[in-house]
Amino acid sequence: MNDKSFFWRLVRYYGWYTVGFIALLVVLAILEQEGLPRTWIGYLFMFATVVLYAGIGIMSRTSDVSEYYVAGRRVPGLFNGMATAADWISAATFISLAGGLYLQGFDGLAYIIGWTGGYCLVALLIAPYLRKFGQYTIPDFLAARYRGHSSGNPVRVLAVIATVLISFIYVVAQIYGVGLITSRFTGVDFSVGIFLGLASILVCSFLGGMRAITWTQVAQYIIILFAYLIPVVLLSTQHTHSPLAQVSYGTVLTQITDIEKKFDADPKEIQVRAMFKAKADAYDVRLRNLPTSWDQGRIETQQYLEKLKRNNGSLIEIRAASRALSNYPKTPEEAERTWQQEKAGYLARAEPPIPQATPFAAASPEASDIKRNNFLALVFCLMLGTAALPHILMRYYTTPSVQETRKSVFWTLFFILLIYLTVPALAVLVKYYIYTSLVGSDYAHLPEWVSYWANIDKAHPLVSITDINHDGIVQLSEIVLDGDIIVLATPEIAKLPYYISGLVAAGGLAAALSTADGLLLTISNALSHDVYYKMIDPQASTAKRVTVSKLLLLVVALLAAYTASLKPGDILSMVGAAFSLAASALFPVLALGVFWKRGNQEGAMAAIVVGFATCVYYMLHTYPALGGSASGQWFHIAPMAAGVFGVPAGLLALIVVSLLTPPPDPRALKLLDQIRAP
């Protein structure tokens, strides 16, 4: 079958698929009107979409090396663009990006600007040259480009280590998102939800590798698009009388600005903020009196529990006191870290709401400058991290030609743009609902969605509303919303029909699954192809190579699911760390590998090690959850943007070490001339 016939055949298949999905939405809407229980609607959405992905995975199963690793290199640019967009629109974009804009206001735009700009770098600097190289993995390319006089394996090993670590952090964030969605919409425990989602991932990637993942991701993108656009269209029609939220939400933004000014001056809000400030001051006193305060606090907590038991306190009070005692810091050092975080949390809640439309809002010009610098640093890391993410770059091996690769990057940007233009509108419309419906409501009659989301994780509630001043009315400062639930809870917050909730959950699940599939395949391919086949057993048969890759994929998936069940952090933080690491370790060797002939094997090894080590050191040194302290920050740059130091360090190491050592191998230069030829 020629390329043109294959393309139109795909158009017919996915056209019918889209019609079928719309029909499913209509049927579920009718069933809800007829009284079908909400739980069943959630089950139907989850079951139908997972069965669909499994069906594509089974139909696309293969043991052919080219099909398994690069989908036979016959994916047209349009469909590769859709698959790459689905691979890209991860749990971070679908679930957390609007939440970031909701919580951070203007500053949250750093993600959209950085990620979009990163694709321009992919199109200009990396993707066409990788396709011309025409192998299977990123370590493959680096080993060939930085080949020494013996082999390229030293660079290959370092590139594999970097690829595996970066992709692993990223995939943990995706599986965390899968667990969140599955838990909320099926009612199972969070940890169980993670492993249920994992089964869905494995059915696809385990059987068919890149071929199955590609065709599943195209189907997933269509669901993602419907799931993101339909709720926003409905919200926008309600509040602006226009379905084009992307151009009409400005009127709502103006109203939000007016409401924020009222909150600033509201006596009740000021009272609540003062109470949080008092709590922060109390922690400050305890921190200044360490270690005495730690010992005294431990004794008081023990005495309080004993007093409750002696006086027949209620079971709830005794359980809460027992939990407080078991969670009490075990050492003065742990107390210092924990109390610093508590103090910072209360200080943040003592501040007025962040203005949605004001760039770098802060109490002083110096603080505003720090915010602006962090904004620019994050944009820098996200752009260069995007251009160096192995699971995204691998997708450009699957097109039939370099020309189709360029088309594919264009279509990727177009399909991502459809979502990214909608994200700010969604954040603003949801914030308007919270400001006008939840704030000022009766504390005794909170909406049902508050208890639903609060009960998913009782140790670290995703929603918390505490009547701290005991006036029975909800103030804005009393509400804590986790950014990861803003999109998923939007239909419930806005009181939309429940089938819309199911649709959004299906979209979030599709986004997380598509990216997790791509990441797991990247890790297993790096280990099976670059380590096992290229270095351990070059004579391995094709069937054995694919089998090894599948087994490694299974092991990595289980390990990632276990790590996600420990809840190591929120989705955006984990993804931000992965981007900084990718930018620091891989961007210098990829970009200069194409555009600087003098770069050699020694320089590449130095760049990967120095860039990666600088980034990791800064994160460990400054991130409190990893044992660091904010006081160790350089130029007040947050640990998530550590790549702003790792990238220059890597570039400098590559240039200096390459110039101090012999020129690259002639075979590497010949390869470079070949991939740079038009």
mmCIF file of all heavy atoms in Angstrom, residues 497-532:
data_model
loop_
_atom_site.group_PDB
_atom_site.id
_atom_site.type_symbol
_atom_site.label_atom_id
_atom_site.label_comp_id
_atom_site.label_asym_id
_atom_site.label_seq_id
_atom_site.Cartn_x
_atom_site.Cartn_y
_atom_site.Cartn_z
ATOM 1 N N PRO A 497 -23.504 18.684 33.958
ATOM 2 C CA PRO A 497 -23.981 17.291 34.017
ATOM 3 C C PRO A 497 -22.835 16.325 34.330
ATOM 4 O O PRO A 497 -21.681 16.584 33.970
ATOM 5 C CB PRO A 497 -24.535 17.055 32.609
ATOM 6 C CG PRO A 497 -24.819 18.399 32.068
ATOM 7 C CD PRO A 497 -23.844 19.342 32.701
ATOM 8 N N TYR A 498 -23.165 15.202 34.944
ATOM 9 C CA TYR A 498 -22.100 14.315 35.411
ATOM 10 C C TYR A 498 -21.369 13.626 34.259
ATOM 11 O O TYR A 498 -20.199 13.251 34.405
ATOM 12 C CB TYR A 498 -22.657 13.259 36.369
ATOM 13 C CG TYR A 498 -21.554 12.540 37.096
ATOM 14 C CD1 TYR A 498 -20.872 13.153 38.139
ATOM 15 C CD2 TYR A 498 -21.147 11.268 36.709
ATOM 16 C CE1 TYR A 498 -19.826 12.520 38.785
ATOM 17 C CE2 TYR A 498 -20.102 10.619 37.356
ATOM 18 C CZ TYR A 498 -19.459 11.246 38.394
ATOM 19 O OH TYR A 498 -18.414 10.626 39.034
ATOM 20 N N TYR A 499 -22.055 13.458 33.092
ATOM 21 C CA TYR A 499 -21.332 12.800 32.004
ATOM 22 C C TYR A 499 -20.146 13.668 31.540
ATOM 23 O O TYR A 499 -19.175 13.149 30.989
ATOM 24 C CB TYR A 499 -22.280 12.459 30.838
ATOM 25 C CG TYR A 499 -22.662 13.612 29.948
ATOM 26 C CD1 TYR A 499 -21.938 13.898 28.800
ATOM 27 C CD2 TYR A 499 -23.765 14.409 30.241
ATOM 28 C CE1 TYR A 499 -22.289 14.942 27.972
ATOM 29 C CE2 TYR A 499 -24.121 15.456 29.419
ATOM 30 C CZ TYR A 499 -23.384 15.727 28.287
ATOM 31 O OH TYR A 499 -23.724 16.766 27.476
ATOM 32 N N ILE A 500 -20.203 14.986 31.807
ATOM 33 C CA ILE A 500 -19.057 15.842 31.499
ATOM 34 C C ILE A 500 -17.897 15.508 32.450
ATOM 35 O O ILE A 500 -16.728 15.492 32.044
ATOM 36 C CB ILE A 500 -19.433 17.335 31.627
ATOM 37 C CG1 ILE A 500 -20.563 17.680 30.646
ATOM 38 C CG2 ILE A 500 -18.224 18.226 31.359
ATOM 39 C CD1 ILE A 500 -20.181 17.604 29.197
ATOM 40 N N SER A 501 -18.219 15.220 33.713
ATOM 41 C CA SER A 501 -17.171 14.797 34.657
ATOM 42 C C SER A 501 -16.493 13.528 34.166
ATOM 43 O O SER A 501 -15.265 13.389 34.218
ATOM 44 C CB SER A 501 -17.772 14.548 36.046
ATOM 45 O OG SER A 501 -18.244 15.738 36.598
ATOM 46 N N GLY A 502 -17.319 12.579 33.698
ATOM 47 C CA GLY A 502 -16.758 11.338 33.174
ATOM 48 C C GLY A 502 -15.894 11.581 31.956
ATOM 49 O O GLY A 502 -14.831 10.972 31.794
ATOM 50 N N LEU A 503 -16.335 12.509 31.094
ATOM 51 C CA LEU A 503 -15.562 12.841 29.898
ATOM 52 C C LEU A 503 -14.205 13.442 30.275
ATOM 53 O O LEU A 503 -13.162 13.078 29.715
ATOM 54 C CB LEU A 503 -16.359 13.832 29.033
ATOM 55 C CG LEU A 503 -15.628 14.422 27.829
ATOM 56 C CD1 LEU A 503 -15.271 13.334 26.829
ATOM 57 C CD2 LEU A 503 -16.479 15.510 27.160
ATOM 58 N N VAL A 504 -14.206 14.369 31.235
ATOM 59 C CA VAL A 504 -12.948 15.002 31.664
ATOM 60 C C VAL A 504 -12.017 13.960 32.277
ATOM 61 O O VAL A 504 -10.797 13.954 32.034
ATOM 62 C CB VAL A 504 -13.237 16.139 32.667
ATOM 63 C CG1 VAL A 504 -11.945 16.669 33.271
ATOM 64 C CG2 VAL A 504 -13.991 17.271 31.976
ATOM 65 N N ALA A 505 -12.578 13.051 33.076
ATOM 66 C CA ALA A 505 -11.756 11.992 33.667
ATOM 67 C C ALA A 505 -11.151 11.116 32.575
ATOM 68 O O ALA A 505 -9.966 10.744 32.643
ATOM 69 C CB ALA A 505 -12.600 11.147 34.615
ATOM 70 N N ALA A 506 -11.961 10.790 31.553
ATOM 71 C CA ALA A 506 -11.443 9.971 30.454
ATOM 72 C C ALA A 506 -10.327 10.707 29.718
ATOM 73 O O ALA A 506 -9.327 10.101 29.303
ATOM 74 C CB ALA A 506 -12.578 9.619 29.488
ATOM 75 N N GLY A 507 -10.480 12.035 29.556
ATOM 76 C CA GLY A 507 -9.435 12.827 28.903
ATOM 77 C C GLY A 507 -8.165 12.860 29.734
ATOM 78 O O GLY A 507 -7.055 12.712 29.199
ATOM 79 N N GLY A 508 -8.307 13.066 31.044
ATOM 80 C CA GLY A 508 -7.133 13.086 31.921
ATOM 81 C C GLY A 508 -6.430 11.744 31.920
ATOM 82 O O GLY A 508 -5.194 11.661 31.893
ATOM 83 N N LEU A 509 -7.222 10.684 31.917
ATOM 84 C CA LEU A 509 -6.643 9.339 31.890
ATOM 85 C C LEU A 509 -5.900 9.108 30.574
ATOM 86 O O LEU A 509 -4.788 8.561 30.561
ATOM 87 C CB LEU A 509 -7.752 8.299 32.056
ATOM 88 C CG LEU A 509 -7.306 6.863 32.295
ATOM 89 C CD1 LEU A 509 -6.584 6.737 33.614
ATOM 90 C CD2 LEU A 509 -8.501 5.914 32.253
ATOM 91 N N ALA A 510 -6.495 9.564 29.475
ATOM 92 C CA ALA A 510 -5.842 9.411 28.169
ATOM 93 C C ALA A 510 -4.517 10.160 28.133
ATOM 94 O O ALA A 510 -3.509 9.650 27.622
ATOM 95 C CB ALA A 510 -6.768 9.925 27.061
ATOM 96 N N ALA A 511 -4.508 11.380 28.694
ATOM 97 C CA ALA A 511 -3.277 12.182 28.689
ATOM 98 C C ALA A 511 -2.174 11.494 29.501
ATOM 99 O O ALA A 511 -1.022 11.408 29.064
ATOM 100 C CB ALA A 511 -3.563 13.570 29.253
ATOM 101 N N ALA A 512 -2.541 11.009 30.683
ATOM 102 C CA ALA A 512 -1.533 10.366 31.539
ATOM 103 C C ALA A 512 -1.061 9.051 30.932
ATOM 104 O O ALA A 512 0.142 8.749 30.928
ATOM 105 C CB ALA A 512 -2.113 10.127 32.934
ATOM 106 N N LEU A 513 -1.998 8.257 30.387
ATOM 107 C CA LEU A 513 -1.626 6.964 29.820
ATOM 108 C C LEU A 513 -0.744 7.117 28.588
ATOM 109 O O LEU A 513 0.228 6.378 28.408
ATOM 110 C CB LEU A 513 -2.877 6.166 29.454
ATOM 111 C CG LEU A 513 -3.767 5.684 30.609
ATOM 112 C CD1 LEU A 513 -4.968 4.925 30.070
ATOM 113 C CD2 LEU A 513 -2.985 4.812 31.558
ATOM 114 N N SER A 514 -1.073 8.086 27.720
ATOM 115 C CA SER A 514 -0.305 8.240 26.479
ATOM 116 C C SER A 514 1.149 8.595 26.798
ATOM 117 O O SER A 514 2.082 8.044 26.195
ATOM 118 C CB SER A 514 -0.934 9.308 25.581
ATOM 119 O OG SER A 514 -0.952 10.552 26.247
ATOM 120 N N THR A 515 1.341 9.504 27.747
ATOM 121 C CA THR A 515 2.715 9.896 28.088
ATOM 122 C C THR A 515 3.434 8.772 28.826
ATOM 123 O O THR A 515 4.619 8.518 28.577
ATOM 124 C CB THR A 515 2.701 11.165 28.954
ATOM 125 O OG1 THR A 515 1.936 12.153 28.270
ATOM 126 C CG2 THR A 515 4.092 11.696 29.176
ATOM 127 N N ALA A 516 2.723 8.115 29.737
ATOM 128 C CA ALA A 516 3.352 7.014 30.477
ATOM 129 C C ALA A 516 3.794 5.908 29.526
ATOM 130 O O ALA A 516 4.879 5.343 29.686
ATOM 131 C CB ALA A 516 2.372 6.464 31.515
ATOM 132 N N ASP A 517 2.965 5.602 28.521
ATOM 133 C CA ASP A 517 3.350 4.589 27.526
ATOM 134 C C ASP A 517 4.646 4.971 26.828
ATOM 135 O O ASP A 517 5.569 4.161 26.691
ATOM 136 C CB ASP A 517 2.235 4.447 26.476
ATOM 137 C CG ASP A 517 1.174 3.454 26.923
ATOM 138 O OD1 ASP A 517 1.530 2.493 27.613
ATOM 139 O OD2 ASP A 517 0.004 3.653 26.573
ATOM 140 N N GLY A 518 4.704 6.226 26.359
ATOM 141 C CA GLY A 518 5.899 6.679 25.649
ATOM 142 C C GLY A 518 7.139 6.649 26.529
ATOM 143 O O GLY A 518 8.227 6.255 26.086
ATOM 144 N N LEU A 519 6.983 7.040 27.783
ATOM 145 C CA LEU A 519 8.135 7.084 28.694
ATOM 146 C C LEU A 519 8.633 5.684 29.037
ATOM 147 O O LEU A 519 9.841 5.427 29.057
ATOM 148 C CB LEU A 519 7.743 7.826 29.971
ATOM 149 C CG LEU A 519 7.572 9.336 29.808
ATOM 150 C CD1 LEU A 519 6.784 9.906 30.968
ATOM 151 C CD2 LEU A 519 8.926 10.018 29.717
ATOM 152 N N LEU A 520 7.695 4.784 29.301
ATOM 153 C CA LEU A 520 8.104 3.415 29.636
ATOM 154 C C LEU A 520 8.820 2.757 28.459
ATOM 155 O O LEU A 520 9.811 2.043 28.629
ATOM 156 C CB LEU A 520 6.886 2.584 30.048
ATOM 157 C CG LEU A 520 6.298 2.914 31.418
ATOM 158 C CD1 LEU A 520 5.007 2.149 31.652
ATOM 159 C CD2 LEU A 520 7.296 2.593 32.522
ATOM 160 N N LEU A 521 8.305 3.016 27.255
ATOM 161 C CA LEU A 521 8.961 2.447 26.081
ATOM 162 C C LEU A 521 10.359 3.044 25.900
ATOM 163 O O LEU A 521 11.305 2.339 25.530
ATOM 164 C CB LEU A 521 8.118 2.716 24.829
ATOM 165 C CG LEU A 521 8.564 1.967 23.572
ATOM 166 C CD1 LEU A 521 8.363 0.478 23.737
ATOM 167 C CD2 LEU A 521 7.809 2.457 22.350
ATOM 168 N N THR A 522 10.510 4.336 26.183
ATOM 169 C CA THR A 522 11.825 4.977 26.061
ATOM 170 C C THR A 522 12.830 4.337 27.015
ATOM 171 O O THR A 522 13.971 4.057 26.647
ATOM 172 C CB THR A 522 11.697 6.479 26.381
ATOM 173 O OG1 THR A 522 10.788 7.065 25.461
ATOM 174 C CG2 THR A 522 13.032 7.180 26.273
ATOM 175 N N ILE A 523 12.390 4.105 28.260
ATOM 176 C CA ILE A 523 13.295 3.506 29.244
ATOM 177 C C ILE A 523 13.671 2.086 28.835
ATOM 178 O O ILE A 523 14.848 1.709 28.837
ATOM 179 C CB ILE A 523 12.634 3.491 30.638
ATOM 180 C CG1 ILE A 523 12.413 4.920 31.127
ATOM 181 C CG2 ILE A 523 13.486 2.726 31.635
ATOM 182 C CD1 ILE A 523 11.593 5.012 32.407
ATOM 183 N N SER A 524 12.661 1.291 28.480
ATOM 184 C CA SER A 524 12.956 -0.107 28.151
ATOM 185 C C SER A 524 13.796 -0.209 26.880
ATOM 186 O O SER A 524 14.677 -1.057 26.772
ATOM 187 C CB SER A 524 11.662 -0.912 28.008
ATOM 188 O OG SER A 524 10.942 -0.485 26.887
ATOM 189 N N ASN A 525 13.558 0.673 25.897
ATOM 190 C CA ASN A 525 14.364 0.650 24.670
ATOM 191 C C ASN A 525 15.811 1.029 24.947
ATOM 192 O O ASN A 525 16.742 0.444 24.378
ATOM 193 C CB ASN A 525 13.781 1.605 23.625
ATOM 194 C CG ASN A 525 12.526 1.036 22.981
ATOM 195 O OD1 ASN A 525 12.126 -0.086 23.298
ATOM 196 N ND2 ASN A 525 11.909 1.796 22.107
ATOM 197 N N ALA A 526 16.003 2.031 25.817
ATOM 198 C CA ALA A 526 17.382 2.437 26.145
ATOM 199 C C ALA A 526 18.128 1.279 26.796
ATOM 200 O O ALA A 526 19.305 1.041 26.506
ATOM 201 C CB ALA A 526 17.364 3.652 27.070
ATOM 202 N N LEU A 527 17.448 0.538 27.666
ATOM 203 C CA LEU A 527 18.109 -0.570 28.357
ATOM 204 C C LEU A 527 18.293 -1.781 27.436
ATOM 205 O O LEU A 527 19.352 -2.412 27.431
ATOM 206 C CB LEU A 527 17.290 -0.969 29.591
ATOM 207 C CG LEU A 527 17.228 0.087 30.702
ATOM 208 C CD1 LEU A 527 16.263 -0.347 31.802
ATOM 209 C CD2 LEU A 527 18.607 0.328 31.292
ATOM 210 N N SER A 528 17.258 -2.097 26.659
ATOM 211 C CA SER A 528 17.343 -3.313 25.841
ATOM 212 C C SER A 528 18.187 -3.092 24.593
ATOM 213 O O SER A 528 19.014 -3.943 24.236
ATOM 214 C CB SER A 528 15.939 -3.783 25.450
ATOM 215 O OG SER A 528 15.318 -2.815 24.623
ATOM 216 N N HIS A 529 17.992 -1.964 23.909
ATOM 217 C CA HIS A 529 18.721 -1.729 22.655
ATOM 218 C C HIS A 529 20.146 -1.240 22.922
ATOM 219 O O HIS A 529 21.105 -1.806 22.386
ATOM 220 C CB HIS A 529 17.964 -0.691 21.822
ATOM 221 C CG HIS A 529 18.677 -0.316 20.560
ATOM 222 N ND1 HIS A 529 18.719 -1.139 19.446
ATOM 223 C CD2 HIS A 529 19.416 0.780 20.230
ATOM 224 C CE1 HIS A 529 19.430 -0.556 18.492
ATOM 225 N NE2 HIS A 529 19.872 0.615 18.948
ATOM 226 N N ASP A 530 20.286 -0.199 23.762
ATOM 227 C CA ASP A 530 21.610 0.408 23.932
ATOM 228 C C ASP A 530 22.513 -0.381 24.874
ATOM 229 O O ASP A 530 23.714 -0.420 24.674
ATOM 230 C CB ASP A 530 21.446 1.848 24.446
ATOM 231 C CG ASP A 530 20.880 2.749 23.380
ATOM 232 O OD1 ASP A 530 21.579 3.007 22.398
ATOM 233 O OD2 ASP A 530 19.720 3.171 23.514
ATOM 234 N N VAL A 531 21.928 -0.963 25.907
ATOM 235 C CA VAL A 531 22.769 -1.696 26.855
ATOM 236 C C VAL A 531 22.864 -3.167 26.465
ATOM 237 O O VAL A 531 23.961 -3.697 26.259
ATOM 238 C CB VAL A 531 22.216 -1.547 28.291
ATOM 239 C CG1 VAL A 531 23.051 -2.376 29.265
ATOM 240 C CG2 VAL A 531 22.237 -0.089 28.712
ATOM 241 N N TYR A 532 21.698 -3.828 26.333
ATOM 242 C CA TYR A 532 21.737 -5.276 26.080
ATOM 243 C C TYR A 532 22.263 -5.604 24.678
ATOM 244 O O TYR A 532 23.228 -6.361 24.518
ATOM 245 C CB TYR A 532 20.340 -5.870 26.277
ATOM 246 C CG TYR A 532 20.285 -7.349 25.962
ATOM 247 C CD1 TYR A 532 20.856 -8.287 26.825
ATOM 248 C CD2 TYR A 532 19.694 -7.809 24.793
ATOM 249 C CE1 TYR A 532 20.837 -9.640 26.528
ATOM 250 C CE2 TYR A 532 19.661 -9.152 24.489
ATOM 251 C CZ TYR A 532 20.231 -10.065 25.354
ATOM 252 O OH TYR A 532 20.220 -11.402 25.051
#
